[in-house]
Amino acid sequence: MTTILPTPAAWPRPLLGDSPGGNPPSGDARLADPADLDAAVRAGAFAGLTRALRDLGATLTTATIAESGLRGRGGAGFPAAQKWRAVAATPGGAATPGGLRYAVANGYEADPAGATNRHLMTQRPYAVVEGLAIAALSVGAEEAILAVRAEYADAVAVLELAVSAAEEAGYVGEDVLGSGRALRMTVRPVQGAYMLGEETVLLKALEGRRGQPEQRPPYPSERGLWGRPTLVHNVATLAAIPWIVVHGSDAYRAIGDPDAPGTLLVQVTGAVASPGIVEVPTGTPLSEILGLAGGVAGGRTLKALLVGGPSGGLLPADLATTPYTFGALRAVGAHVGSGSVVVADDRTCVVDLARLLTRYCADEACGKTIPCRIGLRRMSEIGERFASGLARPTDRGLLADLGADIVGSALCDHERLATGPLATAMRYFGSEIDAHLSGVCPAGVCAPAGVVAAGTAHGG
Ligand SMILES: Cc1cc2nc3c(=O)[nH]c(=O)nc-3n(C[C@H](O)[C@H](O)[C@H](O)COP(=O)(O)O)c2cc1C
Ligand code: SF4
């Protein structure tokens, strides 16, 4: 079970704290049975749904989310209420009087180093169910689907129990809290590769179709599942909604970075003393997050932080002051992504790491668009050449050109993001790239390069 790292007592914790919104006590305390509805309700679960339905109604609930400044936690940081309004404004067809719309919780969690979504789904299932119910009812959806990575059998099981208990108690179902509004909620395990987390691929998987990203517009908010307007949110976005509805938009807006308020769950892994998940206000410096995880393990020094998953940015130690928030990370070539921060100590070869990540991203690309399919493969090959002592003097320039071409032709954002590891390696660790160009791996990781440095001539 993933460790939850302690944070200063004064820090608000809408996702993992002890206030209404479906969250059990603070610290690493967990409900004995996270699917126990009575215990969750005693801790505040469904107070947000009750308020949204009985006191606020759809328009005011949406206004509350807009004023809170909540941005999507699935990676791009898109303002949540903007999507809600787009879904609500799009006619849903003639199937029901208001038309048919869908709301989908993206619980795929594509990042292999991520476990924050899994934690929420297994330990805070009612916050996710309640957030999805509030969002769905606010946009006029009558069908809500929790799409969960099939390998997360624990999350699937807990959410199935939670949804059926919520239905029995009238929080979802044919007549939600006696309002006359219907909301059918189901859990759908989904299985696939990395790209399945991308929303248009996820929706196709739910339709039982082969998954490749779609050109946008139209966005899923206009034409999504089965061609109907569909709201897609990451589970962490949804889990914050009950807290916002109960505490109000001002309380949420007061937390963290004013441009992207609230908290983020960060999964800190790699060479740290205490790996785990930590809930931080947006804008918390990376160095502080590293400190909460006990610092670099074994008295070693920090070499790089991989921020944003396999397509993240490799940031040097002197950029550890960067605030952990959407805009600031993007400015330095990283991104929030799935919320993972991987710590690399001084023994790491950044060139080798960037090579591995680029290869992963190239292997996972679906192949639909040529700049991504061919360009990432070429970038990956150049990375392999650096790490094997076979790089050519022109490879640095070629890498930069390829990166620029790929970024300019994005269809689904994977290609833009996937250039990140090598682009940041070149930007911040240029001397290591140069060393590899002359056949030397300063960290001694790329063994063949070392061999070349010992005297073997290699191609130019
Ligand atoms: C390659 C790729 C992988 C993605 N993987 C995920 C994922 O695993 N989970 C997720 O919620 N969003 C993922 N996204 C983002 C989704 O497409 C979508 O923007 C998000 O689910 C919307 O939720 P939000 O509004 O709450 O951010 C991915 C995007 C891309 C381009
Ligand atoms: S950019 Fe890459 S991953 Fe995205 S659709 Fe094109 S080939 Fe597939």
Side-chain angles (χ1 to χ4, degrees), residues 401-412:
D401 287 351
L402 273 170
D405 289 349
I406 292 172
V407 168
S409 60
L411 170 65
C412 78

Side-chain angles (χ1 to χ4, degrees), residues 71-78 80 83 106-111 117 194-200 216 232-235 237-238 412-414 417:
R71 288 172 179 263
R73 271 38 181 166
F78 190 78
K83 264 202 231 180
N106 187 343
Y108 184 66
E109 193 153 59
D111 179 356
N117 284 191
Y194 181 73
M195 291 307 301
L196 190 49
E198 197 276 339
E199 58 187 5
T200 61
R216 277 147 291 183
V232 184
H233 271 314
N234 175 264
V235 297
T237 314
L238 295 167
C412 78
D413 236 19
H414 177 63
L417 299 172

Side-chain angles (χ1 to χ4, degrees), residues 369-384:
T369 40
I370 292 168
C372 179
R373 185 175 69 226
I374 313 276
L376 281 182
R377 183 60 60 204
R378 293 289 93 84
M379 286 186 78
S380 167
E381 287 165 4
I382 294 171
E384 300 288 345

Side-chain angles (χ1 to χ4, degrees), residues 69 99 137 195 264 267 296 316 382:
L137 290 166
M195 291 307 301
L264 289 160
Q267 166 96 31
V296 182
I382 294 171

Side-chain angles (χ1 to χ4, degrees), residues 158-211:
V158 171
L159 284 172
E160 278 174 346
L161 285 171
V163 169
S164 97
E167 192 174 344
E168 210 164 294
Y171 294 116
V172 296
E174 292 307 319
D175 181 16
V176 180
L177 290 172
S179 65
R181 301 278 310 274
L183 180 63
R184 288 168 290 279
M185 192 177 284
T186 47
V187 180
R188 287 277 306 273
V190 285
Q191 195 154 30
Y194 181 73
M195 291 307 301
L196 190 49
E198 197 276 339
E199 58 187 5
T200 61
V201 181
L202 184 73
L203 295 180
K204 281 200 201 164
L206 290 174
E207 294 174 354
R209 294 200 287 145
R210 180 167 177 241

Side-chain angles (χ1 to χ4, degrees), residues 66-96:
E67 285 155 18
S68 75
L70 177 68
R71 288 172 179 263
R73 271 38 181 166
F78 190 78
Q82 214 167 306
K83 264 202 231 180
W84 292 26
R85 287 183 171 135
V87 176
T90 308
T96 60

Side-chain angles (χ1 to χ4, degrees), residues 214-307:
E214 283 299 318
Q215 184 78 49
R216 277 147 291 183
Y219 293 93
S221 52
E222 301 149 58
R223 197 188 315 152
L225 197 58
W226 309 113
R228 310 285 185 171
T230 303
L231 181 72
V232 184
H233 271 314
N234 175 264
V235 297
T237 314
L238 295 167
I241 290 167
W243 193 96
I244 297 170
V245 174
V246 169
H247 292 260
S249 52
D250 288 351
Y252 195 73
R253 194 168 258 296
I255 304 169
D257 170 18
D259 188 47
T263 59
L264 289 160
L265 291 187
V266 190
Q267 166 96 31
V268 194
T269 58
V272 273
S274 311
I277 292 173
V278 63
E279 180 172 10
V280 300
T282 52
T284 303
L286 282 163
S287 53
E288 207 170 333
I289 295 172
L290 181 57
L292 293 167
V296 182
R300 315 272 338 173
T301 54
L302 176 65
K303 177 144 185 194
L305 294 166
L306 172 64
V307 186

